[in-house]
Amino acid sequence: MGRDDHPTAPADCLTLVMPLQARAGMSTDDFYEYWLNAHVTLPARFPGISSIWLHAVSFDDAIWPRLPGVSHRPPPGDEFQGVPEATFVTLEGLAEFQAASKVQMDDGINFLQEMVAYRSIADATQTVSDRTGVPAPDGHDGLVRHLLFLRRREGVGAAEFRSFVADTLAPGWAGSAEVVKLRRHLFEEVEVTLDHPGVRMSRPLDRQYQAALEVVVPDSGALDRFAASPAWSQLAVAVGEHCAAVHAVRVNRCITTKYRGAITLAGVRGVAVADVIRRLGASSQLDDEVSALFLPAPAHVLV
């Protein structure tokens, strides 16, 4: 069940989907080490932010089926290595987060060259379906995940494009028996929402995206069956008519650092430390007394 599907949870008023490009000259390994083990212990601690998912991604590892006449991968200079997704229940929460998170913003230059924050407002983000049973994954579910970044084809109006993605494409693919999760975002034109000094925060309009889909299947065989199914073939022509680009990036890990206001073990200690605590079954590290050494009260951590 996705956050926005929970019957008692308030709806999010803003979702940010933020492709991250590693600092020039930084190795991919160093980027992930810093992002997932140093930087991620900052944002989840600040007030105002509700949920944070981190997607460690690779274009080289993508196995999403291609469509004729549709760009499937950006040029090398536009590729990115990570995609955090953050939600805010209120705009007041966003302002509270912005006011408290200066040290996070100043940290961006240590590992980022570019961060483009795509804004999806209110129900422009929706979890169309989710049968994974794991709304707050820790990166070990073994599912095949892709993020698809969509660029509107020239001549297609913005309203027509948004309607196609929301009313036709997303529900059409979500209806496939092979798709266990589909979450969609409709983006506004980029404005700087979270400002990392010294980091490029925008792109020209012709290099921006207008929507994104998170599509999850159980395994690569399920993706092959999806690509051979009516859910794919019946929409293939329409996707080509509406989209100049469907840039598919494989999600090698999806990690939650905050969920519905509750910080996770990875959010407190970093991903590598959370992994080793789980792997060794070090339950004493999960005590509230230990968490209190790292967090202000209350110190309970979502595990």
Side-chain angles (χ1 to χ4, degrees), residues 15-19 83-86 116-120 149 185 187 212:
T15 300
L16 298 178
V17 178
M18 297 166 279
V83 184
E85 178 186 336
V116 180
Y118 289 100
R119 298 170 299 131
S120 183
F149 287 83
H185 312 276
F187 296 146

Side-chain angles (χ1 to χ4, degrees), residues 4-5 120 122-129 166 182-186:
D4 46 348
D5 296 320
S120 183
D123 61 2
T125 285
Q126 183 183 25
T127 302
V128 182
S129 66
L182 192 144
R183 181 166 167 85
R184 62 108 166 118
H185 312 276
L186 306 175

Side-chain angles (χ1 to χ4, degrees), residues 4-165:
D4 46 348
D5 296 320
H6 194 278
T8 61
D12 296 318
C13 81
L14 178 68
T15 300
L16 298 178
V17 178
M18 297 166 279
L20 307 179
Q21 192 176 89
R23 192 183 70 191
M26 189 178 208
S27 72
T28 301
D29 286 345
D30 283 346
F31 169 81
Y32 287 127
E33 285 284 353
Y34 195 88
W35 178 39
L36 299 180
N37 296 305
H39 184 77
V40 302
T41 62
L42 298 175
R45 300 170 189 265
F46 297 123
I49 194 166
S50 178
S51 296
I52 307 169
W53 296 274
L54 309 178
H55 301 93
V57 301
S58 168
F59 283 97
D60 286 340
D61 294 338
I63 56 172
W64 189 258
R66 302 179 184 182
L67 287 166
V70 178
S71 172
H72 72 278
R73 183 169 179 168
D78 281 356
E79 291 187 2
F80 41 86
Q81 293 75 42
V83 184
E85 178 186 336
T87 69
F88 300 85
V89 174
T90 65
L91 290 179
E92 290 78 13
L94 172 64
E96 188 179 13
F97 177 80
Q98 289 169 320
S101 61
K102 181 180 184 300
V103 293
Q104 176 195 337
M105 300 302 116
D106 290 345
D107 187 56
I109 199 169
N110 291 321
F111 70 112
L112 294 178
Q113 176 170 275
E114 178 182 275
M115 185 199 82
V116 180
Y118 289 100
R119 298 170 299 131
S120 183
I121 298 172
D123 61 2
T125 285
Q126 183 183 25
T127 302
V128 182
S129 66
D130 189 353
R131 295 184 283 113
T132 65
V134 186
D138 66 5
H140 294 99
D141 55 25
L143 300 171
V144 173
R145 300 173 182 268
H146 285 83
L147 294 176
L148 314 179
F149 287 83
L150 312 184
R151 184 168 295 147
R152 177 165 48 96
R153 189 171 291 282
E154 187 176 356
V156 176
E160 178 187 351
F161 176 80
R162 290 168 73 93
S163 176
F164 169 71
V165 174

Side-chain angles (χ1 to χ4, degrees), residues 40-41 44-45 257 263-270 291 294-295 299 301:
V40 302
T41 62
R45 300 170 189 265
T257 57
I263 196 167
T264 71
L265 184 62
V268 178
R269 307 290 293 274
S291 298
F294 299 88
L295 293 171
V301 171

